[in-house]
């Protein structure tokens, strides 16, 4: 598990995911902030679920940034053989029956051997789903939860872990799209991840463009506003204190909290109370 300060946030205004510097999504509760998790290695180890997408072998340098005025995360990995970037984002939720996490690997220079590793564990790591290979990638079902993982890279399975190995070259792009949906419904339609990226960037930049703050502090103020917006549960307008639960208040301390519930306590009050 990485240090908490090494995690970056992506989200869709209904839930969020935490991505560490090594390219692993270690926390994702789905479909809402207060749902149980499908990735929870931040609370234990990889057996609690994670989604790794990173170079194989040694990494010389890691650089991360958000694309300007968005919650689209870019992680650049430099290796001996080249440079590759992983673009992570969650399209804004249009309906509660579907949540997408999109990751796009881009070759910047040379050739970089990559590894994708998907360990889906629902209910905070307690439930192993039924995983099947599909023409588009893989599907997984666990009770009311279903996941479709779409990519052109062929997956393999061993020891309850699904993985893929491939090489990304300069100018190439390899997308991965993970979609959660209720298991009693049909699989969602295939969509172009690059179009989803453009639409997500446009949404965030349109929202960020409403910020009237100017001057030398505009950038940090805007980044703080984007983070607060990502912690907002859109159906109620409530803001969660944090997207996590069960992390100790201090390292080694006895107290821990579920910080996710505040977003669901914001209910309309009678007009006489305004």
């Amino acid at each position: 598990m990485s240090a908490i300060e090494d995690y970056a946030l992506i989200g869709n205004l209904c839930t969020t995911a935490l991505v560490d510097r090594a390219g692993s999504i270690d926390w994702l509760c789905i479909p809402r902030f207060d749902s149980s998790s499908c990735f929870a290695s931040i609370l234990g180890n990889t057996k609690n679920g994670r989604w790794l997408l990173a170079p194989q072998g040694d990494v010389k340098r890691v650089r991360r940034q958000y694309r300007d005025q968005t919650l689209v995360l870019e992680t650049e990995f430099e290796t001996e053989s080249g440079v590759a970037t992983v673009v992570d984002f969650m399209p804004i939720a249009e309906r509660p029956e579907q949540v997408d996490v999109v990751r796009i690997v881009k070759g910047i220079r040379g050739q970089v051997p990559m590894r994708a590793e998907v360990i889906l564990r629902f209910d905070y790591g307690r439930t192993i789903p039924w995983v099947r290979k599909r023409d588009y990638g893989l599907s997984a079902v666990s009770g009311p939860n279903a996941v479709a993982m779409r990519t052109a890279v062929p997956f393999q399975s061993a020891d309850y872990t699904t993985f893929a190995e491939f090489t990304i070259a300069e100018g190439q792009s390899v997308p991965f799209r993970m979609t959660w949906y209720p298991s009693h419904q049909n699989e969602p339609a295939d969509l172009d991840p690059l179009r989803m990226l453009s639409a997500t960037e446009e949404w965030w930049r349109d929202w960020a463009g409403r910020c009237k703050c100017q001057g030398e502090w505009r950038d940090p103020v805007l980044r703080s506003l984007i983070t607060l917006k990502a912690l907002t549960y859109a159906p109620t307008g409530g803001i969660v204190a944090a997207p996590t639960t069960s992390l100790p208040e201090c390292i080694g301390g006895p107290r821990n909290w579920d910080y996710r519930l505040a977003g669901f306590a914001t209910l309309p009050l009678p007009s006489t109370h305004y």
Side-chain angles (χ1 to χ4, degrees):
M1 186 186 78
S2 298
I4 191 67
E5 61 266 25
D6 287 333
Y7 284 99
L9 181 80
I10 58 174
N12 68 348
L13 306 188
C14 284
T15 189
T16 56
L18 297 181
V19 190
D20 77 358
R21 292 179 59 84
S24 179
I25 296 180
D26 288 347
W27 180 256
L28 173 61
C29 293
I30 204 164
R32 306 187 343 166
F33 286 106
D34 67 334
S35 301
S36 64
S37 67
C38 65
F39 302 131
S41 63
I42 194 174
L43 301 181
N45 54 42
T46 58
K47 293 181 180 180
N48 297 104
R50 73 161 181 176
W51 180 6
L52 176 71
L53 188 53
Q56 301 181 53
D58 295 334
V59 175
K60 294 172 58 179
R61 188 175 294 106
V62 177
R63 290 180 286 267
R64 292 199 300 180
Q65 64 178 8
Y66 287 102
R67 289 191 174 181
D68 186 41
Q69 299 184 60
T70 75
L71 202 66
V72 176
L73 177 68
E74 291 185 326
T75 305
E76 183 182 273
F77 297 100
E78 181 179 345
T79 70
E80 290 290 346
S81 61
V83 177
T85 295
V86 177
V87 179
D88 291 320
F89 67 98
M90 295 178 68
I92 301 301
E94 297 182 355
R95 56 192 182 94
E97 294 83 8
Q98 182 176 321
V99 176
D100 287 293
V101 181
V102 181
R103 314 190 74 182
I104 303 173
V105 185
K106 293 189 173 184
I108 307 301
R109 174 170 54 82
Q111 294 187 337
V112 181
M114 301 289 296
R115 179 179 175 89
E117 184 177 283
V118 182
I119 305 175
L120 282 162
R121 297 290 185 270
F122 290 95
D123 197 21
Y124 304 102
R126 288 189 287 245
T127 305
I128 300 175
W130 178 29
V131 179
R132 292 177 290 176
K133 286 188 177 181
R134 299 291 197 184
D135 291 340
Y136 58 73
L138 63 87
S139 67
V141 176
S142 174
N145 300 293
V147 165
M149 180 74 73
R150 298 179 182 273
T151 183
V153 178
F155 280 110
Q156 304 177 58
S157 296
D159 298 327
Y160 300 101
T161 298
T162 304
F163 64 92
E165 296 179 345
F166 61 100
T167 298
I168 191 78
E170 181 177 344
Q172 291 182 334
S173 179
V174 176
F176 293 77
R177 176 192 170 204
M178 187 188 93
T179 306
W180 175 92
Y181 61 100
S183 59
H184 67 276
Q185 295 185 359
N186 294 327
E187 291 183 350
D190 190 13
L191 298 174
D192 181 3
L194 296 181
R195 289 179 179 269
M196 298 174 83
L197 173 60
S198 296
T200 303
E201 287 187 290
E202 182 179 355
W203 190 96
W204 280 108
R205 285 175 178 149
D206 178 70
W207 183 86
R210 306 172 195 175
C211 176
K212 303 301 182 182
C213 177
Q214 300 297 329
E216 63 176 318
W217 299 109
R218 174 178 168 79
D219 288 345
V221 167
L222 185 55
R223 179 51 53 191
S224 296
L225 288 173
I226 290 172
T227 302
L228 288 173
K229 183 65 173 177
L231 294 174
T232 302
Y233 183 65
T236 65
I239 301 176
V240 297
T244 53
T245 180
S246 307
L247 293 175
E249 187 178 69
C250 59
I251 296 176
R255 294 186 296 178
N256 59 69
W257 314 95
D258 191 336
Y259 293 93
R260 303 169 299 163
L261 300 182
F264 304 96
T266 303
L267 301 175
L269 295 175
S271 59
T272 54
H273 288 198
Y274 285 93

